[in-house]
Amino acid sequence: MEDDALWLDGNALGGLLYEVFGTEMTAVQRSCQSCGTRSAVGAHRAYQGAGAVLRCPVCGDVAVRIGVLPDRHVVQLAGAWTLDVPRP
Ligand SMILES: [Zn+2]
């Protein structure tokens, strides 16, 4: 994965994450599998190319990869994600 390109903050992927998870994700907390830092998804670094990648704001390890295909999204999560989702 080439990460030398410009990155945005995780809020830039808010729309895509909403589409994938069906809920607002930027405030969701994630604990990094590498450095242990707990931070909001919106505070991660976002990289966009053919798909999208979020990386830990501290160590840069991958938090999620989202492949955007014509008929689906392919999502690979890493680390511990805590989703607090309101019940309908
Ligand atoms: Zn980390």
Side-chain angles (χ1 to χ4, degrees):
M1 184 67 64
E2 290 294 324
D3 287 336
D4 298 334
L6 291 176
W7 54 270
L8 306 164
D9 80 44
N11 293 306
L13 294 187
L16 176 60
L17 290 167
Y18 189 96
E19 199 177 327
V20 169
F21 292 97
T23 189
E24 173 55 41
M25 291 292 288
T26 54
V28 163
Q29 295 289 312
R30 172 186 168 270
S31 295
C32 181
Q33 71 276 16
S34 292
C35 71
T37 301
R38 184 173 162 88
S39 50
V41 167
H44 284 56
R45 294 181 183 181
Y47 299 80
Q48 285 188 278
V53 177
L54 280 184
R55 289 181 174 272
C56 175
V58 174
C59 74
D61 204 357
V62 172
V64 60
R65 295 181 199 275
I66 303 174
V68 180
L69 303 178
D71 62 339
R72 80 194 85 142
H73 294 115
V74 179
V75 182
Q76 294 177 300
L77 296 165
W81 293 62
T82 303
L83 280 69
D84 185 344
V85 182
R87 297 174 64 178

